Amino acid sequence: MTEAIPVPHGLPIDRDRRCPFDPPPELARLRAERPISRMIYPDGHEGWLVTGYHAARALLADPRLSSRSENRRTAVLTDPVKTGLAGAGPGMISRMDPPEHTRLRRLLIGEFTVHRMKQLEPRIEELAEQHIDEMRRQGPPADLVQAYALPIPSLVICELLGVPYEDRKTFRHDSRRLLNLDTAPDEVAAAGASLIRYMSELVRDKRARPGNDLLSDLAHGGELNDEEMTGLGMTLLVAGHETTANMLSLGTLALLEHPDQLRRLRQDPGLIDGAVEELMRYLSVVHASISRGALADIEIDGHVIKEGEVVTLSLPAANRDHGRFPNPDELDVSRPAIGHLAFGHGVHQCLGQQLARVEMRVGFTALLRAFPELRLAVPAEEIAFREHAFVYGVHRLPVTW
């Protein structure tokens, strides 16, 4: 029987970083000593913490672990939507299990294939060049988050879904509140309700006045009601810009702070596809961990997860597992980092991963080509990180050239 470990107030362990690019040392220690550990949640309930790659990958694909909120009954601090969206309402695909999850994913999977995302690449390149031109026009210094990393994926997901980009201040504000782990429960509920109201109005508009976009196609496909459309649209909107925006800014910072790797990428732009995978692995921006509830007893690596127990899986820890990746704490843009868990694994593997890959490939390539002397405009120690958010990143990234 492994020892249960106490969980500090707040997100389990993940806030105690010593290096901004590395998971907390305590996670590395646990992964080395006991990759599957008993854990005490703040409400006193005992569950499990998984830090090892192979166990995390196996459990992410195990149908006996449920994503539904009612099956994760403890006060899991890794779930930022614990109040606002905890009910896993209609259309909220990330909080569903098969067969409901399968039905919704089937409707969407064709929209996010590699081929479809390649068709979007010229438009993404155009947006990147437009924002680079504006950065040049404004002149240095610039906040890379607001000037480049955030608007590009926001514009792309808005155009893909058919969301008016001029509404971005509203949905960004609400999504940031929703994904902030320190947001008070009543504020989380208010943010979730605000997003639901916004998306439900947009869905009604798509029913009445369809356009050439994904929400219009779904609205007139005849398989989803308004509530399902609202939940699905909100999930895609929030997920579609937050993760990539943080990866573009944090990934740029990581490259600037690893000049040898930046130099290799500049000298050989053909490394970009692998570099994107390596940055995803190395940074693992969904740092708040994933929680699941056991629907049955599960035996794994000599442990038995009992029915009803909660399992928390740390993707940042798993992606730094020495048993899977040689020298995992080093950033290596030439590493074959395929198989990382930054997009998850199993039926809930990120639906938009191919879109994110294209956005990052285009975004990093255009930025590094346009600004060969790009550098930080402030000392690295002054950069403020989004440690209290479900998706890790930086609040601002002042750069110059």
Side-chain angles (χ1 to χ4, degrees):
M1 185 72 174
T2 55
E3 175 188 358
I5 60 171
V7 180
H9 179 69
L11 180 67
I13 303 171
D14 284 10
R15 292 181 182 178
D16 305 324
R17 294 175 182 255
R18 292 180 185 171
C19 169
F21 303 124
D22 296 341
E26 180 66 9
L27 285 177
R29 184 186 67 80
L30 283 171
R31 187 186 57 232
E33 294 179 1
R34 45 181 192 273
I36 303 176
S37 305
R38 291 293 281 171
M39 184 166 73
I40 304 172
Y41 291 96
D43 67 349
H45 176 78
E46 283 197 14
W48 298 87
L49 175 64
V50 179
T51 51
Y53 174 89
H54 296 288
R57 192 174 191 275
L59 289 168
L60 284 169
D62 197 315
R64 294 170 294 179
L65 283 181
S66 171
S67 295
R68 294 181 63 85
S69 299
E70 57 267 35
N71 295 324
R72 297 178 290 112
R73 58 187 173 82
T74 192
V76 181
L77 297 179
T78 55
D79 186 359
V81 292
K82 55 186 177 293
T83 300
L85 305 178
M92 292 178 183
I93 191 170
S94 63
R95 292 291 173 260
M96 291 181 170
D97 292 339
E100 296 90 348
H101 174 271
T102 307
R103 179 175 69 91
L104 291 185
R105 193 172 178 102
R106 176 180 53 81
L107 294 176
L108 294 171
I109 196 69
E111 301 292 335
F112 291 94
T113 62
V114 174
H115 176 67
R116 292 295 295 272
M117 295 306 101
K118 285 287 289 183
Q119 292 177 324
L120 283 176
E121 190 161 346
R123 175 56 177 156
I124 299 171
E125 290 173 343
E126 180 184 2
L127 291 172
E129 293 302 328
Q130 287 175 0
H131 285 82
I132 284 170
D133 288 345
E134 181 62 17
M135 287 173 66
R136 286 192 177 117
R137 191 184 70 80
Q138 294 284 347
D143 173 16
L144 195 73
V145 174
Q146 295 299 324
Y148 190 77
L150 183 58
I152 293 173
S154 295
L155 276 162
V156 171
I157 197 64
C158 283
E159 291 183 5
L160 184 64
L161 294 179
V163 174
Y165 186 62
E166 57 267 25
D167 295 343
R168 64 191 181 278
K169 287 187 177 180
T170 298
F171 68 72
R172 280 181 188 168
H173 174 71
D174 287 332
S175 66
R176 287 290 171 95
R177 283 200 298 165
L178 197 67
L179 297 177
N180 188 326
L181 296 165
D182 284 340
T183 303
D186 58 337
E187 293 182 27
V188 174
S194 176
L195 280 169
I196 289 172
R197 283 194 302 271
Y198 173 77
M199 189 56 65
S200 63
E201 291 174 5
L202 186 61
V203 166
R204 285 195 293 271
D205 184 65
K206 297 297 180 185
R207 298 266 194 213
R209 291 175 292 277
N212 184 24
D213 55 73
L214 177 55
L215 287 179
S216 294
D217 291 346
L218 291 172
H220 291 268
E223 296 192 54
L224 299 176
N225 59 36
D226 283 6
E227 290 75 18
E228 289 174 322
M229 281 278 299
T230 296
L232 192 57
M234 187 174 67
T235 301
L236 293 173
L237 179 62
V238 172
H241 73 277
E242 280 287 345
T243 306
T244 306
N246 283 285
M247 269 302 305
L248 283 172
S249 52
L250 188 63
T252 299
L253 176 60
L255 289 171
L256 292 174
E257 289 294 285
H258 293 80
D260 58 328
Q261 298 303 306
L262 178 57
R263 185 166 51 252
R264 293 176 71 182
L265 193 53
R266 288 191 186 281
Q267 292 172 347
D268 185 0
L271 291 174
I272 186 60
D273 285 338
V276 165
E277 301 301 321
E278 171 67 350
L279 285 166
M280 288 293 301
R281 180 203 70 83
Y282 181 71
L283 297 172
S284 296
V285 294
V286 182
H287 74 144
S289 304
I290 292 174
S291 60
R292 297 281 189 266
L295 299 175
D297 289 0
I298 301 171
E299 185 172 352
I300 181 168
D301 294 349
H303 304 282
V304 177
I305 299 169
K306 295 289 188 180
E307 178 181 354
E309 290 187 319
V310 174
V311 181
T312 295
L313 305 106
S314 175
L315 303 186
N319 278 334
R320 295 292 188 94
D321 193 330
H322 292 257
R324 176 59 179 82
F325 302 101
N327 303 313
D329 295 323
E330 296 180 8
L331 176 64
D332 180 358
V333 295
S334 63
R335 181 199 305 271
I338 56 172
H340 65 76
L341 300 178
F343 288 118
H345 183 62
V347 297
H348 282 287
Q349 190 171 36
C350 177
L351 185 66
Q353 61 180 291
Q354 302 305 339
L355 174 59
R357 286 185 169 103
V358 174
E359 289 173 332
M360 283 185 279
R361 181 173 70 245
V362 170
F364 287 127
T365 298
L367 185 69
L368 298 182
R369 182 177 61 238
F371 301 111
E373 295 183 359
L374 188 73
R375 60 190 184 276
L376 291 178
V378 299
E381 311 83 69
E382 295 183 11
I383 303 295
F385 293 85
R386 301 182 70 227
E387 297 174 340
H388 297 248
F390 183 68
V391 181
Y392 188 58
V394 294
H395 292 285
R396 297 177 65 252
L397 188 62
V399 295
T400 189
W401 55 90

